[in-house]
Amino acid sequence: MSFYVVTLSLLLSISFAVSSHHFPIDGTVLELDESNFDSAISAFDFIFVDFYAPWCGHCKRLNPELDAAAPVLAGLKKPIIIAKVNADKYTRLASKYDVDGYPTLKLFMHGIPVEYNGPRKADLLIRYLKKFVAPDVAVLDSDSAITNFVEEAGTNFPIFIGFGLNESMIAELSTKYKKQAWFSVAKDFSEDVMVSYDFDKVPALVALHPGYDGSSVFYGPFEEDFLEDFLKQNFLPLTVPINYDTLKLLKNDERKIVLTILDDEDDEKSKHLIKLLKAAASANRDFIFAYVGVKQFEDFADTFEANKKTKLPKMVVWDGNEEYILVIGSESIDEGDEGSQITRFLEGFREGRIIVKGIGGPSLLGYINSLIGIRSVYIIIFVIAMIFLIRTINKEEPLRVGTRDASDAAASSASMESREHRSDYKED
C-alpha cells in the first residue's frame, strides 16, 4: 500500500515540476509565444496579458508597473497571472486577438478574453483586477465590514449595496454585470450607516460613485426589471465629466446626453451649475447629464462650436455620435436662476423646439469610436502610396537627385495624421 502512495506522490510531484517549469507561479511576468500561449491560457483561470511591441514607448513605461503588480496578484486566493506577448513578432496571436495598437491589454477569464481599459499604475491595476476574482455578491455583517468593502472597492467602479435585501434578489444581476460594478448586501448595520448613506427605510439599494462623490437610493419595487433599470441608470454618476476615459463609458449607454459646455469646470460658478445639473439629472433619468470645460478639453468642445469666444455655458443634446441638438431660445445659460433655465431647456427639447446640427471640426470618431484600427490605416496609406507611384510612373518624369518621391511624402503625412487621431490608450 505504501509503495502505491509513494509512487502516486512521485508522479504528482513530477507533474507539478513540469507544470512549474513551464509556468512558474512565483510572481514574475511570464513571457509567452505562439508555442505556449494556448497552454498558459488553459493552465490559469485568470491571466492578464500584455500584447506589446519592443519599440513602443508606452509599453516600456508599462513594464515596471506590471513587474510590481505581478507578485501581489499571483499571491491572491484566486491568483491572477501576468504575462506578455511580443505581438510585433508573433503576428498570428496579434491577429487572433484583434491587437491593433500597443500596448493592448486583455484579461483571460477561464479562457475568455476581455479587453482591459482600466488604470495602469501598479496599485490601481491591482485594485481594478481584484474586481474580476471577487465574489459576485459580498455579504456584509457589520458597519466596519461595509466601510472596508467600500474602501477596498476603490473608485473605478460604481458600488451597489443592498440594505436589508436578500442576496438572492440581486444574485442574477450581479453575475450579469460583474464586470461593470461591485455588488453587496448588508445584513446588519446601525442607524449611523443609514444616515451616512442617506436612506431612511429598508429594504433599500444604494448606488455609490466614490470617484464622483455621488449616490442614489432605490426603494423598490424589487422586481428584476425595475432593479435592472436602476442599475443601468447608475453605472454612470448623475453628472459625467467628459474626458477620454468617460467617453468610452458613454458608448455603452443608449440614452441621449445633455451636454453643458463650460469655460472652466473647476471655477466656483461652474461647480454651482454642476450641482444644479445633478438635481436635474436625478429628475430626468432618461438622459445622461455631462459637462466639459473648454479649458480642460478644448478640442472636444470645439466640435460643438464652443470655444473661448462663444457665450458660455452652452447647452446641447448630443446623440453620442455625429449629431447634436440646440434648443431654440435656450442656447446658453445666463447668470441668475440657472435651475429654471435648465428646466426650460429640457422642456424645449421635449416639445420639439430644436435645431439639429452636425459635429464640426475633426471627426468625432477620433475621440470616441476608434473604429479604424491601425492595420486599416496602414492599408489605406499603402493604397494611396501605390496610386501616387503609378501616376508618377505614368508621367515618366525624369529622376531628380536629392528629391523625395511624392508617395513617400503622402505616406508620411497620412501616418502622422493617423497617430494624431489615435486613442490615448493605444498611441503607438
Side-chain angles (χ1 to χ4, degrees), residues 41 56 60 71 109 227 241 251 290 302-303 315 324 364 381 401 403 419:
I41 298 304
C56 164
K60 292 174 183 177
M109 298 188 292
L227 275 170
K251 288 196 298 182
D302 192 50
T303 61
M315 291 189 75
Y324 69 97
L364 197 62
I381 293 171
V401 178
T403 62
R419 288 177 182 270

Side-chain angles (χ1 to χ4, degrees), residues 68-112:
V72 178
L73 292 170
L76 296 176
K77 190 176 291 185
K78 292 183 179 180
I80 300 175
I81 306 304
I82 296 183
K84 58 199 308 184
V85 174
N86 183 345
D88 195 41
K89 179 178 180 181
Y90 300 108
T91 55
R92 184 184 66 81
L93 288 174
S95 176
K96 181 178 180 180
Y97 293 106
D98 299 321
V99 176
D100 63 354
Y102 305 111
T104 290
L105 305 173
K106 291 181 183 285
L107 176 65
F108 288 78
M109 298 188 292
H110 303 285
I112 300 172

Side-chain angles (χ1 to χ4, degrees), residues 209 211-216 233-243 246 250 255 257-260 262 265 270-282 285 287-292 342:
H209 286 277
Y212 301 97
D213 193 27
S215 64
S216 299
Q233 291 170 357
N234 285 276
F235 285 140
L236 293 169
L238 283 174
T239 54
V240 183
I242 294 292
N243 53 50
T246 55
L250 293 178
R255 291 176 291 171
I257 302 156
V258 175
L259 176 64
T260 303
L262 311 159
E265 58 192 53
S270 294
K271 289 179 179 178
H272 172 69
L273 182 58
I274 291 167
K275 287 182 180 179
L276 297 176
L277 290 171
K278 283 184 179 181
S282 183
R285 292 287 190 165
F287 292 110
I288 297 172
F289 281 72
Y291 61 90
V292 65
I342 294 170

